[in-house]
Protein backbone atom coordinates (compact mmCIF):
# COMPACT_ATOMS: atom_id res chain seq x y z
CA UNK A 1 0.00 0.00 0.00
CA UNK A 2 2.93 2.28 0.77
CA UNK A 3 4.31 1.58 -2.70
CA UNK A 4 0.98 2.49 -4.31
CA UNK A 5 0.82 5.84 -2.43
CA UNK A 6 4.38 6.65 -3.42
CA UNK A 7 3.68 5.80 -7.04
CA UNK A 8 0.56 7.99 -7.22
CA UNK A 9 1.27 11.41 -8.68
CA UNK A 10 1.05 14.35 -6.28
CA UNK A 11 -1.96 16.58 -6.81
CA UNK A 12 -1.19 19.49 -9.14
CA UNK A 13 -0.91 22.91 -7.49
CA UNK A 14 -2.98 25.43 -9.36
CA UNK A 15 -1.87 29.03 -9.01
CA UNK A 16 -4.57 31.65 -9.16
CA UNK A 17 -3.85 34.32 -11.73
CA UNK A 18 -5.15 37.82 -11.30
CA UNK A 19 -7.43 38.92 -14.08
CA UNK A 20 -5.87 41.44 -16.44
CA UNK A 21 -6.69 45.02 -15.48
CA UNK A 22 -7.35 47.32 -18.43
CA UNK A 23 -5.56 50.63 -18.85
CA UNK A 24 -2.26 51.98 -17.65
CA UNK A 25 -0.86 51.37 -14.21
CA UNK A 26 -2.04 54.35 -12.16
CA UNK A 27 1.03 54.32 -9.95
CA UNK A 28 3.25 57.24 -10.90
CA UNK A 29 0.77 58.90 -13.27
CA UNK A 30 -0.11 61.54 -10.70
CA UNK A 31 3.47 62.53 -9.95
CA UNK A 32 3.68 66.13 -8.90
CA UNK A 33 5.15 68.50 -11.42
CA UNK A 34 8.30 70.28 -10.29
CA UNK A 35 7.54 73.17 -8.00
CA UNK A 36 9.60 76.30 -7.48
CA UNK A 37 6.76 78.08 -5.62
CA UNK A 38 3.60 76.65 -4.08
CA UNK A 39 0.36 78.58 -3.65
CA UNK A 40 1.42 79.90 -0.23
CA UNK A 41 4.62 81.41 -1.63
CA UNK A 42 2.71 82.86 -4.59
CA UNK A 43 0.16 84.50 -2.27
CA UNK A 44 2.96 86.03 -0.21
CA UNK A 45 4.28 87.74 -3.34
CA UNK A 46 1.22 88.55 -5.47
CA UNK A 47 -1.49 90.87 -4.14
CA UNK A 48 -4.23 88.95 -6.04
CA UNK A 49 -6.75 86.79 -4.17
CA UNK A 50 -9.68 84.53 -5.02
CA UNK A 51 -11.38 84.69 -7.42
CA UNK A 52 -8.71 86.59 -9.34
CA UNK A 53 -5.54 84.71 -8.39
CA UNK A 54 -4.90 82.73 -11.58
CA UNK A 55 -1.58 81.01 -10.78
CA UNK A 56 -1.70 77.76 -8.78
CA UNK A 57 1.97 76.81 -8.93
CA UNK A 58 5.27 78.07 -10.30
CA UNK A 59 7.25 75.33 -11.99
CA UNK A 60 10.39 77.38 -12.72
CA UNK A 61 11.45 80.92 -11.93
CA UNK A 62 14.50 83.08 -12.33
CA UNK A 63 13.61 86.49 -10.92
CA UNK A 64 14.45 89.20 -13.43
CA UNK A 65 14.49 86.73 -16.34
CA UNK A 66 11.56 84.31 -16.74
CA UNK A 67 8.96 82.16 -14.98
CA UNK A 68 6.76 79.20 -15.86
CA UNK A 69 3.46 79.04 -13.98
CA UNK A 70 0.52 76.66 -13.93
CA UNK A 71 -3.24 77.18 -13.67
CA UNK A 72 -5.43 74.11 -13.15
CA UNK A 73 -8.63 74.88 -15.03
CA UNK A 74 -11.69 73.29 -13.40
CA UNK A 75 -15.43 73.48 -13.93
CA UNK A 76 -15.54 75.07 -10.45
CA UNK A 77 -13.81 78.23 -11.71
CA UNK A 78 -16.25 81.09 -11.16
CA UNK A 79 -16.29 82.30 -14.78
CA UNK A 80 -17.64 79.11 -16.37
CA UNK A 81 -21.34 79.49 -15.44
CA UNK A 82 -21.51 82.58 -17.65
CA UNK A 83 -18.83 81.78 -20.28
CA UNK A 84 -20.54 79.71 -21.70
CA UNK A 85 -23.07 77.51 -19.88
CA UNK A 86 -23.51 75.18 -22.87
CA UNK A 87 -19.77 75.07 -23.74
CA UNK A 88 -17.48 76.26 -20.94
CA UNK A 89 -14.41 78.09 -22.29
CA UNK A 90 -11.87 80.07 -20.25
CA UNK A 91 -12.14 83.73 -21.28
CA UNK A 92 -9.12 84.88 -23.30
CA UNK A 93 -8.70 88.00 -21.20
CA UNK A 94 -8.18 85.77 -18.15
CA UNK A 95 -5.44 83.86 -19.98
CA UNK A 96 -3.75 87.21 -20.60
CA UNK A 97 -4.24 88.16 -16.93
CA UNK A 98 -2.75 84.83 -15.82
CA UNK A 99 0.34 85.53 -17.96
CA UNK A 100 0.59 89.00 -16.40
CA UNK A 101 0.50 87.49 -12.91
CA UNK A 102 3.34 85.14 -13.83
CA UNK A 103 5.14 88.18 -15.30
CA UNK A 104 4.64 89.99 -12.01
CA UNK A 105 6.42 87.16 -10.22
CA UNK A 106 9.39 87.70 -12.57
CA UNK A 107 9.49 91.40 -11.63
CA UNK A 108 8.68 91.41 -7.92
CA UNK A 109 11.33 91.15 -5.22
CA UNK A 110 10.94 87.94 -3.18
CA UNK A 111 12.60 89.73 -0.25
CA UNK A 112 9.47 91.90 -0.06
CA UNK A 113 7.19 88.92 0.67
CA UNK A 114 4.84 89.04 3.65
CA UNK A 115 1.69 87.27 4.85
CA UNK A 116 -0.57 89.89 3.24
CA UNK A 117 1.22 89.96 -0.10
CA UNK A 118 4.09 92.16 -1.19
CA UNK A 119 3.91 95.91 -0.84
CA UNK A 120 5.08 96.20 -4.45
CA UNK A 121 2.40 96.38 -7.10
CA UNK A 122 2.40 96.03 -10.85
CA UNK A 123 -0.17 97.00 -13.45
CA UNK A 124 -0.77 96.49 -17.14
CA UNK A 125 0.67 99.33 -19.19
CA UNK A 126 -0.01 97.67 -22.54
CA UNK A 127 -0.88 94.46 -24.35
CA UNK A 128 0.23 93.90 -27.94
CA UNK A 129 -0.04 91.12 -30.51
CA UNK A 130 -2.52 88.98 -28.58
CA UNK A 131 -3.48 85.80 -30.39
CA UNK A 132 -5.78 83.05 -29.16
CA UNK A 133 -4.93 79.70 -30.75
CA UNK A 134 -7.20 77.15 -29.05
CA UNK A 135 -9.98 77.09 -26.46
CA UNK A 136 -9.08 76.28 -22.86
CA UNK A 137 -11.72 74.12 -21.17
CA UNK A 138 -12.32 72.51 -17.78
CA UNK A 139 -9.78 69.76 -17.13
CA UNK A 140 -6.97 71.54 -18.96
CA UNK A 141 -3.73 72.58 -17.30
CA UNK A 142 -2.73 76.00 -18.56
CA UNK A 143 1.07 76.36 -18.48
CA UNK A 144 2.24 79.96 -18.87
CA UNK A 145 5.79 80.94 -19.78
CA UNK A 146 6.67 84.61 -19.44
CA UNK A 147 10.10 85.94 -20.43
CA UNK A 148 11.38 89.43 -19.61
CA UNK A 149 12.48 91.05 -22.86
CA UNK A 150 13.42 94.52 -21.63
CA UNK A 151 13.34 96.35 -18.29
CA UNK A 152 13.54 100.11 -17.89
CA UNK A 153 14.36 100.39 -14.18
CA UNK A 154 14.25 104.18 -14.20
CA UNK A 155 10.56 104.18 -15.14
CA UNK A 156 9.70 100.72 -13.75
CA UNK A 157 8.44 99.49 -17.13
CA UNK A 158 8.93 95.91 -18.34
CA UNK A 159 8.29 94.35 -21.75
CA UNK A 160 7.55 90.63 -21.62
CA UNK A 161 6.70 87.83 -24.01
CA UNK A 162 3.99 85.54 -22.70
CA UNK A 163 2.76 82.21 -23.99
CA UNK A 164 0.07 79.84 -22.66
CA UNK A 165 0.16 76.15 -23.48
CA UNK A 166 -2.18 73.23 -22.95
CA UNK A 167 0.04 70.20 -23.36
CA UNK A 168 2.10 70.84 -26.49
CA UNK A 169 -0.46 73.21 -28.02
CA UNK A 170 -0.08 76.98 -27.93
CA UNK A 171 -3.35 78.41 -26.56
CA UNK A 172 -2.51 82.12 -26.31
CA UNK A 173 0.41 84.49 -26.81
CA UNK A 174 0.96 88.19 -26.21
CA UNK A 175 3.55 90.86 -25.59
CA UNK A 176 2.88 92.41 -22.21
CA UNK A 177 3.99 95.77 -20.86
CA UNK A 178 3.91 95.93 -17.06
CA UNK A 179 4.62 98.83 -14.75
CA UNK A 180 5.89 98.45 -11.19
CA UNK A 181 4.52 101.06 -8.82
CA UNK A 182 6.90 101.97 -6.00
CA UNK A 183 5.76 101.30 -2.43
CA UNK A 184 3.47 103.97 -1.01
CA UNK A 185 2.33 105.42 -4.38
Amino acid sequence: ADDAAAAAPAPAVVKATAPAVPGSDAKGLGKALPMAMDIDAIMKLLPHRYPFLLVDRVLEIEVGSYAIGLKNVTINDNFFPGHFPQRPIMPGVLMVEAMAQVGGLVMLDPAAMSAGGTQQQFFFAGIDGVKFRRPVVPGDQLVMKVVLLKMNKRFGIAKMKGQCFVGDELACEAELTLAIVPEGK
Side-chain angles (χ1 to χ4, degrees):
D2 289 332
D3 291 335
V13 177
V14 178
K15 292 184 178 179
T17 57
V21 178
S24 299
D25 186 8
K27 183 178 178 182
L29 287 181
K31 284 184 182 174
L33 292 169
M35 182 168 27
M37 293 175 76
D38 65 7
I39 191 66
D40 294 325
I42 293 166
M43 289 177 71
K44 286 179 183 171
L45 197 54
L46 289 180
H48 305 79
R49 295 294 178 263
Y50 177 83
F52 221 64
L53 180 59
L54 299 172
V55 183
D56 295 326
R57 171 181 287 190
V58 175
L59 307 175
E60 294 179 24
I61 187 166
E62 187 178 312
V63 176
S65 180
Y66 80 99
I68 300 174
L70 173 83
K71 161 84 174 124
N72 290 306
V73 181
T74 75
I75 194 64
N76 297 319
D77 283 316
N78 68 340
F79 44 81
F80 283 130
H83 197 272
F84 301 98
Q86 69 282 9
R87 185 171 182 229
I89 296 173
M90 183 176 185
V93 295
L94 294 182
M95 286 188 262
V96 175
E97 172 64 26
M99 287 189 292
Q101 290 180 17
V102 173
L105 292 169
V106 173
M107 294 171 49
L108 295 177
D109 180 8
M113 291 192 325
S114 68
T118 181
Q119 296 304 306
Q120 295 175 305
Q121 292 187 341
F122 63 95
F123 299 97
F124 269 126
I127 308 165
D128 297 306
V130 179
K131 292 188 175 71
F132 302 105
R133 305 289 187 183
R134 76 176 297 280
V136 176
V137 298
D140 285 344
Q141 280 192 320
L142 190 65
V143 177
M144 301 145 297
K145 181 170 185 177
V146 180
V147 177
L148 180 64
L149 301 174
K150 188 166 80 172
M151 177 72 182
N152 183 327
K153 290 187 179 191
R154 180 174 175 209
F155 296 108
I157 302 291
K159 284 276 194 190
M160 303 183 144
K161 172 69 177 173
Q163 295 177 306
C164 294
F165 294 90
V166 174
D168 293 334
E169 294 182 67
L170 182 64
C172 175
E173 61 184 329
E175 188 173 289
L176 312 170
T177 304
L178 302 179
I180 288 186
V181 178
E183 293 181 38
K185 295 240 176 175

